[in-house]
Amino acid sequence: MADFAADLLNWGFWIFLFVASYFVGTYREKAHLKSIVEREKRLLSLPALTLKFAEDRPVAKTELVMGSVVIGGDFFKQVVASLASVFGMRISVAEAMMDRARREAVLRMKEKAVGADAILNVRIEGLKIGERKKITGIEAMACGTAVYYSK
Amino acid sequence: MNFEPRYCEKNVNVQSNSHFGEFIRLTLWLLGIVFVIYLLLGYTAEKIAERLPPKFEAAIAGGITSKFGHSDFPRTQKYLQKVLDSLVSSAEGLPPFAYRVIIVDENIVNAVALPAGNIVVFKGLVSKLKNENEVAIILAHELGHYAHRDHLRGLGRGLVLVSIMTVLGVSGDLPGFISPSVQTFDLKHSRDRESAADRYAMDLFVRTYGHSGGTVEVFKVLAAQEQGGRRPELLSTHPDTLWRIQSLTDYLKLKKYPNGSILPLPKPGVLPFPNDQTVKAQ
């Protein structure tokens, strides 16, 4: 009976963490996505392009702009990701996380380029933080050249 | 070249936002695959183990046997060994092992057939036994497992289960409330084997002692023991004791085995269990 209670306590802790991290994680993800969509619409008029050359107009100023973000992988996502990795299936929890991170990084980059006419030669990178198979978090970084044309 | 701002509402990079659905789907996949592997490997291991030559089995068992070098209860063990030897000498169809009985100092009411003829009887069971007939039927039941090679079947399946758990990274024991459900599948098999061992034990007892007196009583002792923490039948390895008593009684009637006298335990008190260490100290 004592063993049973100890097991229950031991495993109950992880099960509770799993369930709690699912609800908290889902809530946070939804809130973040909502804010991303809103800001993306607001910053739509500033193009972020992979083109390397500016338009044929006099350029007043260029500048390196960069935005980066780190998002933590919660316990629920880690468990689901490790399950998916057993079969080589699509890890949709990680897809959602990476997508959020990349979009957030681009947004931060755009927010950095105040008053620019365009951001050129944009590069986006992502990397995993955490030892071995563990996903403690992911980082996404976007950088490019902000171009200000002469008025 | 003109830049036209346009917002795409559809996100092609994330196919599904139902993470919980994903979790359920993956878990079912995993359980399904593990189950299939367990069935296939378990079946194979069982078949291999059944055909394991006794010599090879003895070699494997070396590691187990070495742990039982000395005994805490030499007098009781000697007595049990004597009963076991007389059973073995009149038994049929037993693999050629040097059969030994070992008493382990734990309050579990159970006995186990380990590879290469090592029978472990726990102190909890020994202290419950009241006469030689009961001692003999318990030992004969374990001999029945050797005759049917049951001890190896369990070994093969257990090995597969442990291997799968290791591969999945589940180290150590499964928690108490999960492991019964993992094993439930095996238990039906297991119960059939226990019944077969019971019948073998009855035949062997009659062959050795010439009657069947006092044999069913030991299961009543076990039944009384179970009253405390009863488990549902599906979750227990040994068949439901009441059902077991009934089927054994039927078997006795069917075979028309005569009833006979009950042999007392040797005096002074090898059983029920005096502590050999305190006796020595006196």
Side-chain angles (χ1 to χ4, degrees):
Chain A
M1 202 57 215
D3 282 356
F4 181 79
D7 278 344
L8 203 65
L9 205 68
N10 198 6
W11 283 72
F13 170 73
W14 292 108
I15 290 166
F16 173 77
L17 190 62
F18 184 77
V19 173
S21 84
Y22 167 72
F23 283 110
V24 174
T26 311
Y27 174 76
R28 298 287 308 161
E29 187 164 279
K30 283 217 172 97
H32 189 199
L33 267 175
K34 201 177 151 206
S35 127
I36 285 176
V37 169
E38 200 178 280
R39 283 149 68 217
E40 271 178 344
K41 284 179 178 165
R42 187 149 41 82
L43 290 165
L44 200 57
S45 57
L46 172 61
L49 309 168
T50 51
L51 282 178
K52 284 197 174 170
F53 304 104
E55 284 175 53
D56 198 9
R57 279 163 65 182
V59 173
K61 189 179 100 178
T62 57
E63 182 191 21
L64 172 72
V65 282
M66 196 181 91
S68 84
V69 64
V70 176
I71 294 179
D74 58 50
F75 183 61
F76 174 82
K77 292 198 177 75
Q78 286 184 17
V79 171
V80 177
S82 62
L83 278 177
S85 73
V86 173
F87 305 111
M89 284 177 173
R90 280 192 305 105
I91 308 179
S92 71
V93 284
E95 275 178 357
M97 240 167 96
M98 288 302 291
D99 180 66
R100 265 162 69 205
R102 281 190 302 258
R103 286 161 76 181
E104 177 72 35
V106 170
L107 280 173
R108 288 186 181 182
M109 179 186 72
K110 282 186 172 183
E111 280 160 1
K112 187 98 187 293
V114 185
D117 294 295
I119 304 174
L120 299 181
N121 199 16
V122 171
R123 296 289 179 265
I124 303 172
E125 284 185 40
L127 65 87
K128 192 201 77 176
I129 297 171
E131 53 180 310
R132 300 208 296 161
K133 278 174 91 176
K134 213 169 157 195
I135 308 171
T136 309
I138 48 160
E139 190 204 9
M141 191 266 280
C143 65
T145 310
V147 181
Y148 303 79
Y149 296 116
S150 314
K151 295 284 169 321
Chain B
M1 187 175 62
N2 278 328
F3 174 72
E4 287 174 19
R6 183 182 66 90
Y7 192 78
C8 178
E9 292 282 353
K10 187 173 177 291
N11 189 350
V12 291
N13 291 324
V14 181
Q15 302 277 328
S16 138
N17 263 320
S18 155
H19 298 332
F20 191 72
E22 176 95 355
F23 168 68
I24 296 293
R25 198 162 56 93
L26 288 170
T27 312
L28 289 180
W29 263 101
L30 188 69
L31 286 181
I33 289 180
V34 165
F35 189 67
V36 168
I37 291 177
Y38 178 62
L39 277 188
L40 289 178
L41 279 184
Y43 184 78
T44 319
E46 195 172 280
K47 289 295 155 202
I48 292 174
E50 270 177 59
R51 282 160 185 72
L52 209 64
K55 217 187 205 176
F56 195 63
E57 187 186 329
I60 295 176
I64 306 171
T65 347
S66 61
K67 281 190 183 166
F68 300 120
H70 86 290
S71 168
D72 292 334
F73 312 101
R75 286 194 306 158
T76 314
Q77 188 147 324
K78 211 169 148 193
Y79 167 66
L80 292 187
Q81 187 68 46
K82 201 189 86 199
V83 175
L84 180 68
D85 288 344
S86 74
L87 285 171
V88 170
S89 62
S90 55
E92 279 170 12
L94 279 181
F97 294 128
Y99 288 93
R100 290 205 308 153
V101 57
I102 299 117
I103 299 166
V104 170
D105 190 0
E106 276 187 58
N107 283 322
I108 305 168
V109 185
N110 201 0
V112 186
L114 293 182
N118 296 292
I119 299 172
V120 168
V121 185
F122 293 103
K123 190 180 115 183
L125 177 60
V126 180
S127 58
K128 290 271 185 294
L129 302 178
K130 287 189 288 296
N131 53 55
E132 184 172 322
N133 303 39
E134 295 183 351
V135 174
I137 197 76
I138 294 280
L139 293 175
H141 172 90
E142 299 306 322
L143 287 177
H145 283 312
Y146 289 109
H148 303 142
R149 313 288 277 159
D150 293 332
H151 62 302
L152 289 175
R153 285 195 221 186
L155 204 69
R157 278 202 181 266
L159 199 67
V160 170
L161 191 65
V162 169
S163 314
I164 290 177
M165 272 161 52
T166 314
V167 168
L168 289 180
V170 185
S171 54
D173 296 332
L174 285 171
F177 56 91
I178 290 182
S179 47
S181 58
V182 172
Q183 290 163 6
T184 304
F185 170 73
D186 259 0
L187 291 179
K188 182 73 184 77
H189 268 314
S190 191
R191 286 209 305 275
D192 295 344
R193 287 185 236 152
E194 293 299 331
S195 302
D198 278 349
R199 288 194 293 276
Y200 180 93
M202 205 55 89
D203 292 340
L204 177 56
F205 186 89
V206 173
R207 219 176 296 132
T208 315
Y209 290 87
H211 64 83
S212 67
T215 47
V216 181
E217 275 68 25
V218 72
F219 296 105
K220 290 179 184 160
V221 173
L222 293 179
Q225 176 67 24
E226 272 182 13
Q227 290 303 322
R230 265 187 94 80
R231 292 191 294 170
E233 196 195 345
L234 196 65
L235 292 184
S236 67
T237 329
H238 286 62
D240 193 46
T241 332
L242 296 175
W243 176 82
R244 207 168 163 183
I245 293 169
Q246 189 55 49
S247 80
L248 270 182
T249 318
D250 293 348
Y251 185 69
L252 288 184
K253 275 185 198 148
L254 180 78
K255 287 272 187 171
K256 298 195 176 65
Y257 283 145
N259 207 342
S261 59
I262 288 169
L263 296 167
L265 294 169
K267 299 270 168 165
V270 173
L271 289 167
F273 225 89
N275 194 332
D276 276 316
Q277 282 146 342
T278 51
V279 172
K280 251 182 272 168
Q282 279 164 7

